Amino acid sequence: MNVLEQARAVGDAVLYEGYLLYPYRASAGKNKVRWQWGVLMPPSYASADIGEHASARVECLLEPLAHTILHVKLRFLQTRTRLGWDEAVEHEIDFELPLSELPVESPFQVPGELEGTNELSGVLTVRVDPLDGPFGGTRLHVELHNTTSWPADGVREHALRHALLAAHLVLGVDTGHFLSMLDPPEWAKPAVEACRQERLWPVLIGDTSRSTVMLASPIILYDDPSIAPESPGDLFDGTEIDEILTLRTMTLTDEEKREARATDPRAAAIVDRVDTMPPELLERLHGAVRSVRPVEPSVTVAGVRVTAGSRVRLRPNLRGTDAQDMFLTGRDATVRLVLSDVDGGTHVAVTLDDDPGADLQHAHGRYRYFSPDEIEPLEVAE
């Protein structure tokens, strides 16, 4: 999966976050209050006093090259009212903006062509500001406004029919790259702190330091998010895990399943998928662990190769770690495993040499964990 496909997959999850909640029936109470994320209301209804807004803004850092072109993909849902239930209609609008031509205001319209939909309009505003200092770079500023004209009647359910729902942006550059807003290089940290986000959050896609693709998400995410490979399909209720929702859906009565299928084609697809799910696929949803995993069986510390069986002296970092580790300072230990976490960090699993239960703990896989900079090899570097 390339970075654009990854951004789209994560965007799809954002797009339908909370779209249809278990038990996937229109009559369920929690499905009567929907559309919470990335909602840009028509200006006539929007008000900070009620927490409803017509615009969103994202700012991020970009290191462009000569003739860089910014590609913006605007994605959102529009409601379509049918038989008392608001279905979702997906929309994507693409903008190709040479940086040399910024700032620009790009209006767009969505005609109400489908039965049960209304015309929508908006404007995308983009500019770049050079950063102060000797390192170059620019601050990219993107604003999205819903400009739909509608004589507000004060009813949120009615206003939603004129709103951009789950609105988010996929930003890409053909040359140059975006910088991480969570872990920027040292020189860029003051510029990152000066950036302002309003109802959109910049998420780097494809890497955790720099990339050609940035997702502007209405939900705050870590850099380089991805969809779990075990997930067999959409379940929409992002506050739960796939296994629990699948098992719960299996317990629906035949009548409840009929009502769910009649609610929405996406609800029908969930019920059909669960009803025909093979046991091996259900088993795959259970017990996926990504905490630590074995990697290369060694790590180099102070020029010494440390591997299973190596003896080390513990020098725990007492800031940001378990306070009880202070009692282990200077203790000798034996390395049992070298592990990596989901973020690529390395951990050394040890047992204490003066612990009479060390062998029993090793047999049961119970270890103390330290980072490479918290251990001192007792062997001499070659």
Side-chain angles (χ1 to χ4, degrees):
M1 179 182 294
N2 64 38
V3 286
L4 286 175
E5 291 171 342
Q6 180 182 343
R8 188 183 185 88
V10 174
D12 284 346
V14 170
L15 202 64
Y16 286 102
E17 169 74 19
Y19 165 73
L20 182 64
L21 305 177
Y22 172 88
Y24 306 119
R25 304 192 308 270
S27 62
K30 58 184 177 180
N31 279 322
K32 295 182 182 298
V33 182
R34 303 161 68 210
W35 319 115
Q36 303 298 319
W37 308 109
V39 176
L40 300 184
M41 288 291 194
S44 58
Y45 182 82
S47 168
D49 293 338
I50 60 174
E52 302 285 3
H53 303 274
S55 65
R57 176 176 72 176
V58 66
E59 292 184 346
C60 58
L61 301 189
L62 171 64
E63 290 189 302
L65 297 178
H67 310 298
T68 292
I69 296 177
L70 174 69
H71 299 271
V72 180
K73 185 181 291 291
L74 165 61
R75 309 182 74 215
F76 61 91
L77 299 178
Q78 177 188 26
T79 63
R80 181 185 185 189
T81 304
R82 298 180 65 188
L83 302 176
W85 173 256
D86 287 344
E87 294 181 357
V89 179
E90 287 187 28
H91 292 287
E92 285 190 0
I93 302 174
D94 291 302
F95 304 85
E96 186 173 292
L97 307 172
L99 262 60
S100 60
E101 297 180 8
L102 300 183
V104 298
E105 288 189 358
S106 299
F108 61 89
Q109 283 193 326
V110 176
E113 295 176 339
L114 295 175
E115 181 183 357
T117 64
N118 297 287
E119 181 177 304
L120 303 175
S121 64
V123 62
L124 185 79
T125 303
V126 184
R127 74 169 191 265
V128 287
D129 300 317
L131 298 180
D132 295 330
F135 299 102
T138 61
R139 177 182 291 108
L140 177 66
H141 176 104
V142 183
E143 288 192 34
L144 175 62
H145 295 262
N146 182 352
T147 61
T148 303
S149 177
W150 174 63
D153 61 7
V155 180
R156 185 176 193 268
E157 181 181 349
H158 298 166
L160 287 169
R161 298 168 187 168
H162 306 269
L164 313 182
L165 306 173
H168 62 278
L169 305 168
V170 179
L171 310 175
V173 288
D174 58 344
T175 58
H177 53 258
F178 298 98
L179 295 178
S180 170
M181 302 294 284
L182 291 179
D183 189 21
E186 195 67 30
W187 67 265
K189 288 182 178 179
V192 166
E193 293 174 358
C195 288
R196 296 293 177 262
Q197 321 300 342
E198 295 179 0
R199 294 170 288 283
L200 287 174
W201 179 258
V203 182
L204 207 63
I205 300 294
D207 205 334
T208 56
S209 59
R210 60 187 59 196
S211 177
T212 58
V213 176
M214 183 78 82
L215 172 68
S217 165
I219 300 174
I220 295 177
L221 302 169
Y222 287 109
D223 286 337
D224 199 26
S226 61
I227 304 301
E230 296 83 9
S231 180
D234 295 325
L235 287 165
F236 304 125
D237 197 335
T239 60
E240 302 283 0
I241 62 174
D242 284 24
E243 182 185 27
I244 291 176
L245 283 171
T246 299
L247 292 173
R248 285 180 172 180
T249 303
M250 287 179 173
T251 67
L252 295 175
T253 66
D254 290 343
E255 178 57 34
E256 289 172 329
K257 289 180 180 179
R258 279 194 292 271
E259 185 182 349
R261 286 188 172 99
T263 293
D264 186 287
R266 296 177 177 88
I270 292 174
V271 175
D272 291 343
R273 185 174 68 246
V274 169
D275 277 354
T276 59
M277 182 174 292
E280 61 269 19
L281 186 55
L282 180 61
E283 183 178 355
R284 195 177 73 177
L285 298 180
H286 181 69
V289 177
R290 294 186 183 81
S291 55
V292 292
R293 59 186 184 273
V295 289
E296 292 296 326
S298 67
V299 62
T300 300
V301 180
V304 176
R305 180 174 177 267
V306 174
T307 187
S310 296
R311 296 186 62 247
V312 297
R313 186 158 292 148
L314 303 178
R315 304 293 185 190
N317 177 1
L318 301 182
R319 296 184 63 184
T321 186
D322 191 332
Q324 295 189 37
D325 283 352
M326 72 174 67
F327 301 112
L328 303 179
T329 300
R331 302 271 289 275
D332 294 346
T334 297
V335 175
R336 301 293 187 170
L337 291 169
V338 178
L339 302 160
S340 174
D341 62 23
V342 68
D343 296 316
T346 299
H347 305 269
V348 180
V350 306
T351 55
L352 299 175
D353 288 352
D354 59 0
D355 185 344
D359 290 339
L360 181 62
Q361 290 176 3
H362 176 47
H364 287 275
R366 299 177 66 86
Y367 305 113
R368 299 175 188 269
Y369 297 91
F370 297 90
S371 61
D373 64 356
E374 295 180 302
I375 63 174
E376 175 187 311
L378 294 180
E379 289 84 356
V380 178
E382 298 179 358

